Amino acid sequence: MENILQQIINGLSLGSIYALIALGYTMVYGILRLINFAHGDIYMVGAFLGYFALGYWNLSFPMGLIFAMAGSAILGILIERFAYRPLRLAPRISLLITAIGVSFLLENLMVLWVGASPRPFPQKIPVEVYFVGNIVFTNRQIIIIAVSVFLMFILQFIVLKTKVGKAMRAVSFDKETALMMGIDIDKIIALTFAIGSSLAAAGGVLVGLYFNKIEPYMGVMPGLKAFVAAVLGGIGIIPGAMIGGYILGIAEVLVSAFISSTIRDAVAFIVLILILLVRPSGILGKYMREKV
């Protein structure tokens, strides 16, 4: 039993990262019906911004985290403005292909800038180990979970309690009606990209802190897993992305611990196949019949 609790704690740390990235997927999908496959690479860029802020400019960890989030928010706005906005009225497949192109572009630009080799992430927070009985956890795990939950609450507050959040929800329901009501759709979509990108950057910095390694291709697999987490929870639904992230993180750690670590990456795709077979709309999603 203690071993299971231990793995659940480890899974919560990993799931927090997936949840932060999945939130960006689900926010963009909720507004544009776009699966932004470049989102995993924004997470990677956020990790490198944190790397430079902490390692080269010697900022404190909170300031480095804020810097990475702000830089990635600007990157998200630029990507939306120059890559996605001109194609907003194009067929959806054009946006999808563009997203894949942006993903490869970010990866290769980062390789050109820093090289393809992994880099050790600056360890600004020394590891402290705590014991509760035979269960072991570290201060870094606590920080990851606490920061993730705090950012999720902030996001929920923005979406549910502010005018900007109401505008986001209005745009996600019906863009034309929102436009007639005086909502600046371009501004709201850009803001959605900014918030989603900043959350992904927070995930990148926390991963660097946790695993002590970052590299230009680090966004590929976590990005895909976060997409699975968003689908699992119900893509387009913010609480669903959080739930999906935690379920996926815990499932992955439990499989690694009790079955085999070699199939840990396969867990996400097994979950994706199962959820599409059993409940395609996800845990919190509602089935909607489309007229043709």
Side-chain angles (χ1 to χ4, degrees), residues 11-27 145 147-160 195 199 225-250 283-284:
L12 287 174
S13 305
L14 186 61
S16 298
I17 307 298
Y18 291 154
L20 284 177
I21 308 172
L23 284 169
Y25 271 113
T26 212
M27 289 179 69
I145 295 171
V147 170
S148 302
V149 171
F150 174 73
L151 292 175
M152 291 176 202
F153 272 113
I154 293 290
L155 176 64
Q156 279 291 82
F157 177 80
I158 291 173
V159 171
L160 297 178
I195 293 174
L199 291 175
K225 290 178 181 177
F227 168 66
V228 173
V231 173
L232 174 62
I235 193 161
I237 302 171
I238 289 175
M242 302 178 195
I243 293 170
Y246 282 114
I247 291 176
L248 195 63
I250 292 171
I283 295 171
L284 299 185

Side-chain angles (χ1 to χ4, degrees), residues 37-92:
F37 281 117
H39 195 64
D41 296 288
I42 295 173
Y43 148 88
M44 173 271 294
V45 172
F48 272 97
L49 289 174
Y51 167 82
F52 286 112
L54 299 175
Y56 284 76
W57 304 327
N58 204 27
L59 297 182
S60 63
F61 182 78
M63 292 305 297
L65 181 66
I66 292 170
F67 174 80
M69 292 176 69
S72 297
I74 294 171
L75 177 63
I77 291 172
L78 293 175
I79 290 172
E80 189 279 328
R81 176 63 185 86
F82 295 105
Y84 298 147
R85 191 180 299 180
L87 296 173
R88 198 174 292 166
L89 299 179
R92 204 173 296 175

Side-chain angles (χ1 to χ4, degrees), residues 21-236:
I21 308 172
L23 284 169
Y25 271 113
T26 212
M27 289 179 69
V28 170
Y29 184 85
I31 292 281
L32 287 181
R33 296 293 183 267
L34 164 69
I35 298 171
N36 182 17
F37 281 117
H39 195 64
D41 296 288
I42 295 173
Y43 148 88
M44 173 271 294
V45 172
F48 272 97
L49 289 174
Y51 167 82
F52 286 112
L54 299 175
Y56 284 76
W57 304 327
N58 204 27
L59 297 182
S60 63
F61 182 78
M63 292 305 297
L65 181 66
I66 292 170
F67 174 80
M69 292 176 69
S72 297
I74 294 171
L75 177 63
I77 291 172
L78 293 175
I79 290 172
E80 189 279 328
R81 176 63 185 86
F82 295 105
Y84 298 147
R85 191 180 299 180
L87 296 173
R88 198 174 292 166
L89 299 179
R92 204 173 296 175
I93 188 68
S94 301
L95 277 170
L96 191 63
I97 293 170
T98 304
I100 294 171
V102 172
S103 170
F104 283 117
L105 176 65
L106 291 176
E107 285 175 11
N108 285 282
L109 285 176
M110 191 57 75
V111 170
L112 185 66
W113 185 21
V114 302
S117 302
R119 294 190 176 209
F121 196 81
Q123 299 300 296
K124 285 284 185 177
I125 300 177
V127 179
E128 295 178 12
V129 181
Y130 306 105
F131 295 88
V132 176
N134 291 325
I135 298 174
V136 183
F137 56 95
T138 68
N139 58 335
R140 291 183 180 177
Q141 288 177 307
I142 295 172
I143 290 171
I144 288 171
I145 295 171
V147 170
S148 302
V149 171
F150 174 73
L151 292 175
M152 291 176 202
F153 272 113
I154 293 290
L155 176 64
Q156 279 291 82
F157 177 80
I158 291 173
V159 171
L160 297 178
K161 301 294 183 183
T162 66
K163 287 185 178 179
V164 169
K166 289 179 182 176
M168 284 180 177
R169 285 182 281 150
V171 173
S172 71
F173 280 120
D174 192 324
K175 291 186 185 60
E176 287 75 19
T177 304
L179 185 63
M180 287 189 288
M181 295 174 68
I183 295 173
D184 187 340
I185 291 180
D186 289 340
K187 183 179 176 182
I188 294 301
I189 292 175
L191 188 60
T192 303
F193 270 83
I195 293 174
S197 300
S198 64
L199 291 175
V205 174
L206 293 174
V207 158
L209 179 72
Y210 192 45
F211 293 107
N212 191 26
K213 184 183 75 171
I214 60 172
E215 44 105 6
Y217 298 108
M218 63 179 282
V220 177
M221 189 54 72
L224 289 174
K225 290 178 181 177
F227 168 66
V228 173
V231 173
L232 174 62
I235 193 161

